[in-house]
Amino acid sequence: MKVLSLYLLNKSGGLIYQRDFNPESNGINKLSSNDYLITAGTLHSIHAIVAGLTPPVLYPIQENQTGNQNQTGLFQVETEKFNLFIYQTLTGLKIISIVQKGVSQETATRFMANVHSIYSDYVMKNPFYTLDMPIKCQLFSNKVLLLSEAS
Amino acid sequence: MSKPYKLIGEDVYKNRTEKINSELFTLTYGSVVAQLCRDYNNDYKKVNEQLESMGYNIGIRLIEEFLAKTNFGRCINFKETAEIISKVGFKMFLNTTPTVDNFSADGKQFNLILEDNPLAEFVELPDDNKAVKELWYSNVLVGVLKGALQMVQLDVDVSFVKDILRGDPSTEIKLRLNKILKDEIPAGED
């Protein structure tokens, strides 16, 4: 699978990590850092609006095996060139990935679950990382890059 | 409620966690507590506070690993939370399974009885007649539980009520659910 871009948002919708993968050939435009912040905030808001629009469920929610707690919010955006998936953890962290067309939802979800796992190791366990602040951890970046190449 | 948490806990512990030498861990914790006692001139109330605050900072970070490794969703009630804390949480990080006891009638309070406390394996409290009354040696656990639960939007009061080190018959932590922080539950869950 080809991941084009990865975004991490803290629980208030602030962008704490953004990265494009092999940018010269991947068919996604580079934006200014301000535009990334706006994109993140907008997706966060739409996600919440969609969740608000969804009527309360009348049936039990299916058990999911991935840890993705995004049940009623904005889940997927499809465009001509790529798909965007949103994954949310119980603590409110959002992991957003932009992937090439044709990548299945399961594959993307698995990728984001793995990102969560790397985040829990290389960001949360870094004693000098301040919660909810932009992630500037080289180890995390390296691991994410490896993961994007492997999946 | 019927989920096999015991099995899940054992599976996560066996297959998905990094292990370290337990003595390194126990001795490290011991030297931290001893150093704090020196730093605060044996003012054990301050030491308790400091241990709790250190635990809190661990808890708010550790919860993320717990969620990433177990893939659990939100608990339906506090009983389920209790089961998960004891059978999966403690198992995964400390390889011990405390007993859940004394559930209150309103379902908002319970005690965790630690039959086996890896933090305190070699410990005897100083015999200055004060430590046995004031120091909660493993108070870091209180902070960890509080911090971790707060990150999943549960405001819980946690405190030690008994400790074998103080001569009590068992080691017990009391958890009381104050409220569920509904406003902070992330949108889109259900």
Side-chain angles (χ1 to χ4, degrees):
Chain A
M1 110 164 166
K2 207 158 170 204
V3 190
L4 305 179
S5 235
L6 175 71
Y7 296 64
L8 261 63
L9 276 60
N10 65 20
K11 56 178 173 290
S12 21
L15 185 67
I16 53 172
Y17 187 81
Q18 194 280 332
R19 166 157 202 175
D20 292 335
F21 297 101
N22 40 353
E24 56 294 333
S25 62
N26 78 356
I28 196 157
N29 283 339
K30 203 123 191 76
L31 304 176
S32 72
S33 53
N34 201 31
D35 287 342
Y36 285 124
L37 292 177
I38 295 169
T39 311
T42 311
L43 283 170
H44 181 79
S45 310
I46 299 175
H47 175 272
I49 292 166
V50 171
L53 282 172
T54 312
V57 275
L58 303 169
Y59 49 89
I61 290 173
Q62 277 197 328
E63 194 69 26
N64 71 65
Q65 289 303 314
T66 61
N68 187 3
Q69 301 302 316
N70 183 10
Q71 318 257 15
T72 59
L74 181 71
F75 184 76
Q76 177 179 2
V77 178
E78 279 195 53
T79 76
E80 183 79 10
K81 298 281 184 197
F82 56 75
N83 287 352
L84 180 151
F85 292 98
I86 301 182
Y87 181 106
Q88 184 171 265
T89 73
L90 209 60
T91 53
L93 174 80
K94 277 195 187 64
I95 303 170
I96 301 177
S97 63
I98 299 178
V99 298
Q100 276 185 332
K101 290 294 267 191
V103 173
S104 72
Q105 179 200 314
E106 288 76 25
T107 320
T109 306
R110 208 177 318 122
F111 168 74
M112 292 185 285
N114 285 332
V115 171
H116 183 211
S117 179
I118 296 175
Y119 169 85
S120 78
D121 277 344
Y122 292 93
V123 180
M124 296 314 273
K125 289 185 195 162
N126 175 358
F128 298 106
Y129 171 75
T130 320
L131 245 61
D132 289 343
M133 294 306 280
I135 300 169
K136 296 191 181 89
C137 309
Q138 198 53 49
L139 285 171
F140 174 72
S141 282
N142 296 347
K143 292 280 171 186
V144 165
L145 182 64
L146 282 178
L147 177 67
S148 79
E149 283 162 356
S151 45
Chain B
M1 278 308 287
S2 57
K3 271 182 239 158
Y5 291 124
K6 195 156 184 289
L7 291 176
I8 298 176
E10 275 162 12
D11 174 58
V12 173
Y13 174 75
K14 245 186 229 148
N15 304 320
R16 287 195 252 170
T17 54
E18 299 276 338
K19 320 254 185 328
I20 62 156
N21 184 306
S22 73
E23 293 200 4
L24 170 68
F25 171 70
T26 311
L27 295 177
T28 307
Y29 183 71
S31 57
V32 167
V33 179
Q35 186 63 46
L36 281 173
C37 290
R38 278 194 288 277
D39 289 354
Y40 288 110
N41 282 322
N42 295 346
D43 181 342
Y44 298 119
K45 295 217 166 84
K46 285 235 174 72
V47 175
N48 290 342
E49 271 170 35
Q50 197 59 33
L51 285 171
E52 178 174 343
S53 124
M54 284 163 56
Y56 178 83
N57 288 322
I58 297 174
I60 56 178
R61 289 159 176 265
L62 213 56
I63 183 68
E64 211 69 64
E65 176 177 11
F66 178 78
L67 296 175
K69 291 221 164 108
T70 59
N71 298 328
F72 284 145
R74 190 164 294 283
C75 295
I76 42 171
N77 55 33
F78 204 45
K79 277 219 162 87
E80 194 183 9
T81 311
E83 287 292 299
I84 291 182
I85 290 174
S86 108
K87 297 212 168 72
V88 189
F90 271 84
K91 178 73 190 172
M92 176 172 162
F93 292 113
L94 293 175
N95 189 24
T96 177
T97 310
T99 316
V100 177
D101 194 30
N102 276 341
F103 232 107
S104 66
D106 61 359
K108 285 186 171 174
Q109 182 179 317
F110 65 89
N111 284 11
L112 284 173
I113 305 176
L114 282 94
E115 284 87 5
D116 162 36
N117 179 4
L119 292 177
E121 206 177 332
F122 313 116
V123 179
E124 287 173 39
L125 296 183
D127 48 2
D128 57 0
N129 284 327
K130 216 168 80 168
V132 277
K133 290 192 204 106
E134 293 176 5
L135 179 65
W136 294 114
Y137 180 82
S138 310
N139 218 32
V140 74
L141 297 179
V142 161
V144 172
L145 287 167
K146 195 168 169 54
L149 289 168
Q150 190 191 309
M151 292 305 276
V152 290
Q153 297 85 35
L154 296 173
D155 180 14
V156 181
D157 280 340
V158 191
S159 58
F160 265 94
V161 285
K162 283 182 192 159
D163 192 338
I164 287 184
L165 295 180
R166 292 179 163 210
D168 296 322
S170 60
T171 304
E172 285 189 42
I173 305 175
K174 183 174 83 176
L175 287 91
R176 170 147 197 97
L177 176 66
N178 279 334
K179 57 175 182 292
I180 300 171
L181 307 163
K182 287 222 165 69
D183 298 343
E184 288 174 28
I185 291 182
E189 260 186 33
D190 50 38

